[in-house]
Amino acid sequence: MSENIQKLPVKQRDTYFDCLKGLLIIFVVFAHYIGTGYVYDAPKQNFLFQSLFAFFYQFHMPAFVFISGFFSKKVEKARISSWEKLLLPYLVFNTIFTIINGEFTNPLLNPLSAMWYLWALFLWRQSLPVLGKIRFGVVIAIIFSIFCAFEPLGKTVKLFYNAIAYLPFFLMGFHATKERIAKWRKVPKIVSALIVAAVFAGNYFLISKRIFGYSTLAYWSADYNPNIITTNQILLNIGLELLRYAIGFILMISVMNLCPSKSRFLAYAGNKSLYIMILHIIPGLRPFLASLNFVYDNTWLGLLYWVVCTLLSVILFGNKVTEFLYNKFMDGCAWVIRKLFFIKRPPAEQKA
């Protein structure tokens, strides 16, 4: 009996989702970096970088949100853990980063860069007992998002707008099953590769021909005067909102199909994606890296420069030392808050 037991195969961890998160966090960091280096304040227009920027924004956060929904199926556990894993880091780091930037107006209501994701994920997970039971929840969320696209408050306060705009992807992930994802991954990879190439080429064409600006394609929203909204503006923004979900979903499943199931580096980055997400937006880091870019005028050397910066940042913010320091800092913050407000640690959290 004992000999037979010893020969049983050891169950191994499925590294696919770790690899997918790792790939996506690399895309997130890269898109943020080239946004600073070549898009927002670029001395001259570079259609390649603007197209890359728009392209990555069309799927990297939708896919991240989808995965977050997929791993929120244990509703009560997700709700309890999100207080310290999501809300507390948002309150602490968003406040610190906002103060460093010299901005003191409503720091908690206006997330800095990717910090909105922590708040939105916290809000979604707290709302799951209701949201997860709504029939046709994805469709209703899309309709609500279209409505909020014309609401000045929704467009101004990113804290609310992004949580609404990405909610359909979160619900898609929550209701998705491993079997369904496995079916998506059975699509021939050449088909997924052609879809990815076609969407990028479409972005480049629209941006280079000045049909749409990079920001319109990246954020799926055209600027308008909220006091004077024409029928054409309404139809355009509704169309863009619908494209957000159609193209975002198509690109998401294409990238999921192309992502390798095994990669030590991607899996490692995926396990540390939270730390990388927060720390790569430290105020001043991106402008500093942009100032060191001595190959600005050469598109391909500039591209290589930002790829290297991205990989180095992933390694720096995703290593075990950074993880240890981050967790110690957050444990200290949690301890202070418990003492100040006489909060007892939940039993489920103590066992964990």
Side-chain angles (χ1 to χ4, degrees):
M1 177 72 74
S2 60
E3 292 179 359
N4 292 333
I5 293 176
Q6 290 176 358
K7 292 179 181 179
L8 288 174
V10 178
K11 185 178 180 180
Q12 294 182 345
R13 176 187 176 96
D14 183 359
T15 60
Y16 168 69
F17 285 103
D18 290 333
C19 291
L20 182 57
K21 286 195 296 181
L23 183 64
L24 292 173
I25 195 62
I26 290 172
F27 289 156
V28 168
V29 176
F30 180 72
H32 282 163
Y33 281 178
I34 64 171
T36 302
Y38 277 92
V39 179
Y40 297 137
D41 302 312
K44 64 178 182 179
Q45 288 186 318
N46 189 306
F47 294 132
L48 173 63
F49 281 94
Q50 289 182 352
S51 301
L52 284 170
F53 181 84
F55 172 71
F56 284 124
Y57 266 73
Q58 287 166 356
F59 75 88
H60 65 40
M61 286 314 299
F64 239 120
V65 171
F66 177 90
I67 296 172
S68 299
F70 182 79
F71 284 105
S72 298
K73 297 183 187 299
K74 295 181 179 179
V75 176
E76 194 58 29
K77 181 179 179 181
R79 290 180 70 239
I80 293 174
S81 65
S82 63
W83 287 92
E84 285 194 13
K85 290 184 178 180
L86 299 172
L87 182 61
L88 184 59
Y90 170 73
L91 295 175
V92 171
F93 284 100
N94 196 65
T95 301
I96 292 174
F97 291 170
T98 303
I99 292 174
I100 293 175
N101 272 344
E103 301 172 8
F104 304 96
T105 306
N106 298 326
L108 302 182
L109 294 180
N110 291 284
L112 179 69
S113 188
M115 296 303 294
W116 69 265
Y117 170 73
L118 299 181
W119 159 255
L121 183 53
F122 169 78
L123 186 63
W124 295 329
R125 285 183 169 174
Q126 293 302 313
S127 306
L128 265 178
V130 176
L131 293 178
K133 297 178 181 178
I134 296 177
R135 193 176 183 184
F136 306 115
V138 174
V139 176
I140 294 172
I142 291 175
I143 294 172
F144 189 52
S145 174
I146 292 173
F147 169 78
C148 289
F150 296 97
E151 172 57 44
L153 178 63
K155 298 295 290 183
T156 302
V157 184
K158 191 164 59 174
L159 181 71
F160 302 115
Y161 178 68
N162 280 343
I164 295 169
Y166 288 94
L167 175 60
F169 291 105
F170 180 80
L171 293 176
M172 288 180 199
F174 179 73
H175 292 296
T177 62
K178 285 188 176 181
E179 292 74 20
R180 183 175 299 176
I181 294 174
K183 288 182 180 179
W184 294 344
R185 299 193 69 215
K186 288 182 179 179
V187 174
K189 294 192 183 299
I190 185 63
V191 174
S192 296
L194 289 174
I195 290 173
V196 169
V199 174
F200 174 76
N203 276 285
Y204 187 86
F205 175 80
L206 293 173
I207 292 172
S208 62
K209 297 298 182 182
R210 303 179 190 277
I211 298 174
F212 285 115
Y214 73 89
S215 62
T216 298
L217 296 177
Y219 305 118
W220 295 116
S221 179
D223 291 333
Y224 64 92
N225 185 342
N227 299 316
I228 307 173
I229 305 178
T230 66
T231 301
N232 288 338
Q233 288 173 330
I234 292 175
L235 293 175
L236 174 61
N237 276 277
I238 289 176
L240 289 171
E241 285 290 316
L242 293 175
L243 278 174
R244 171 205 297 272
Y245 301 110
I247 293 182
F249 179 75
I250 292 170
L251 277 177
M252 178 184 75
I253 61 176
S254 297
V255 171
M256 289 173 69
N257 187 24
L258 294 172
C259 179
S261 299
K262 293 182 180 180
S263 168
R264 183 174 296 180
F265 178 71
L266 291 181
Y268 189 83
N271 280 321
K272 307 295 187 293
S273 58
L274 176 65
Y275 317 124
I276 299 169
M277 176 81 75
I278 294 174
L279 298 176
H280 88 277
I281 62 171
I282 292 174
L285 174 62
R286 285 179 279 174
F288 172 73
L289 293 175
S291 69
L292 298 179
N293 188 358
F294 300 112
V295 290
Y296 213 110
D297 292 330
N298 188 304
T299 297
W300 301 110
L301 287 178
L303 180 62
L304 177 61
Y305 173 81
W306 284 114
V307 168
V308 171
C309 287
T310 298
L311 295 178
L312 289 177
S313 296
V314 169
I315 294 171
L316 174 64
F317 299 128
N319 64 63
K320 292 183 179 180
V321 175
T322 303
E323 178 184 21
F324 174 80
L325 295 175
Y326 173 93
N327 287 328
K328 285 296 181 182
F329 176 67
M330 293 312 304
D331 287 345
C333 293
W335 181 85
V336 170
I337 289 177
R338 289 196 192 98
K339 292 299 181 182
L340 286 176
F341 297 98
F342 304 100
I343 301 174
K344 291 184 178 181
R345 197 165 192 171
E349 217 176 290
Q350 290 177 353
K351 293 179 182 179

